[in-house]
């Protein structure tokens, strides 16, 4: 097979964790560029500069490789949102930080967001479960803040949390698709202002 222009040279022996990181990086490049169905394990191995047997030593199949990448980036999104919400006790700033977390994720290197939000495997059960879990975890964290601050019941708070998460995700992906027509910081602030004007209209809990 002809090496791709970005293929890594073979022959370097790496510790297992470093090799796994290398393989995941190569796989991300191929999956993002081609989608799951068009991606080939041959090309991923070539891109990483390893033989197919080495690739299969770490990942028994293409789906397992894809799920490992999806887990990594979904967890990164949840962690970023958690850190954003914990960064301040000022709710207006919390909204801004949460919106920025989604914009940072979408604008991150390697277009990893496509694996989470634009996967061509969304109808495959283990992929759907992971994406739904990440969205639910983000929404639940936002909902907890809303419930504590407004006294809204669990169902209402979760609906509001899911609405804010959806606003962040969809607007961030749209912004990226416009290729920088609006500066990132400006876009974040616009959406945060819109979200805050909505959520701040709910009465604060008297407790």
């Amino acid at each position: 097979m002809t090496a791709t222009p970005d293929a890594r040279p073979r022959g370097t022996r790496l510790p297992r964790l470093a090799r796994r990181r290398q393989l995941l990086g190569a796989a991300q490049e191929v999956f993002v560029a081609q989608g799951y169905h068009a991606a080939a394990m041959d090309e991923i191995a070539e891109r990483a500069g390893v033989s197919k047997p080495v690739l299969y030593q770490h990942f028994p199949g293409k789906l397992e490789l894809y799920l490992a990448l999806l887990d990594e980036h979904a967890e990164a999104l949840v962690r970023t949102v958690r850190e954003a919400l914990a960064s301040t006790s000022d709710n207006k700033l919390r909204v801004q930080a949460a919106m920025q977390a989604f914009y940072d994720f979408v604008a991150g290197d390697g277009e990893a967001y496509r694996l989470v939000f634009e996967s061509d495997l969304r109808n495959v059960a283990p992929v759907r479960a992971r994406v739904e879990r990440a969205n639910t975890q983000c929404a639940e964290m936002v909902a907890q803040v809303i419930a504590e601050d407004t006294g809204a019941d669990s169902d209402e708070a979760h609906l509001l949390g899911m609405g804010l998460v959806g606003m962040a995700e969809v607007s961030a992906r749209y912004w990226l698709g416009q290729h920088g027509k609006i500066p990132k910081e400006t876009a974040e602030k616009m959406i945060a202002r819109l979200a805050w004007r909505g959520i701040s209209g709910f009465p604060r809990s008297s407790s």
Side-chain angles (χ1 to χ4, degrees), residues 160-179:
L160 292 171
M162 191 61 77
L164 290 174
V165 165
M167 178 188 297
E169 175 201 332
V170 172
S171 67
R173 290 167 56 200
Y174 174 79
W175 163 79
L176 188 67
Q178 297 303 296
H179 306 294

Side-chain angles (χ1 to χ4, degrees), residues 10-181:
R10 294 188 179 183
T12 303
R13 189 171 184 84
L14 296 176
R16 184 171 181 82
L17 289 178
R19 178 68 76 193
R20 179 182 171 88
R21 169 55 40 207
Q22 178 195 36
L23 296 174
L24 287 172
Q28 180 175 322
E29 293 174 4
V30 176
F31 283 135
V32 166
Q34 300 185 21
Y36 176 85
H37 295 294
M41 293 292 271
D42 282 335
E43 183 174 357
I44 293 170
E46 192 74 24
R47 182 71 63 96
V50 302
S51 64
K52 277 183 69 177
V54 169
L55 178 57
Y56 282 113
Q57 285 173 10
H58 291 263
F59 302 100
K62 187 166 72 166
L63 180 59
E64 288 80 7
L65 178 53
Y66 189 89
L67 292 175
L69 268 175
L70 181 57
D71 282 337
E72 178 178 286
H73 293 300
E75 289 166 7
L77 172 62
V78 172
R79 182 172 60 251
T80 301
V81 172
R82 181 182 296 113
E83 291 170 353
L85 294 173
S87 66
T88 178
S89 59
D90 183 306
N91 284 331
K92 184 176 183 179
L93 295 179
R94 270 180 174 154
V95 169
Q96 294 175 2
M99 294 299 160
Q100 182 180 345
F102 276 87
Y103 277 74
D104 286 346
F105 181 73
V106 166
D109 291 340
E111 297 184 88
Y113 80 95
R114 295 188 184 278
L115 300 172
V116 181
F117 296 139
E118 298 179 0
S119 172
D120 53 352
L121 287 185
R122 287 293 286 265
N123 291 326
V124 175
V127 173
R128 183 173 63 248
R130 284 162 167 81
V131 173
E132 289 178 353
R133 182 170 64 240
N135 283 334
T136 298
Q137 287 177 322
C138 291
E140 285 176 347
M141 288 187 289
V142 175
Q144 183 177 353
V145 174
I146 292 171
E148 291 172 353
D149 198 57
T150 67
D153 68 32
S154 177
D155 289 338
E156 292 174 344
H158 189 81
L159 177 61
L160 292 171
M162 191 61 77
L164 290 174
V165 165
M167 178 188 297
E169 175 201 332
V170 172
S171 67
R173 290 167 56 200
Y174 174 79
W175 163 79
L176 188 67
Q178 297 303 296
H179 306 294
K181 290 181 180 179

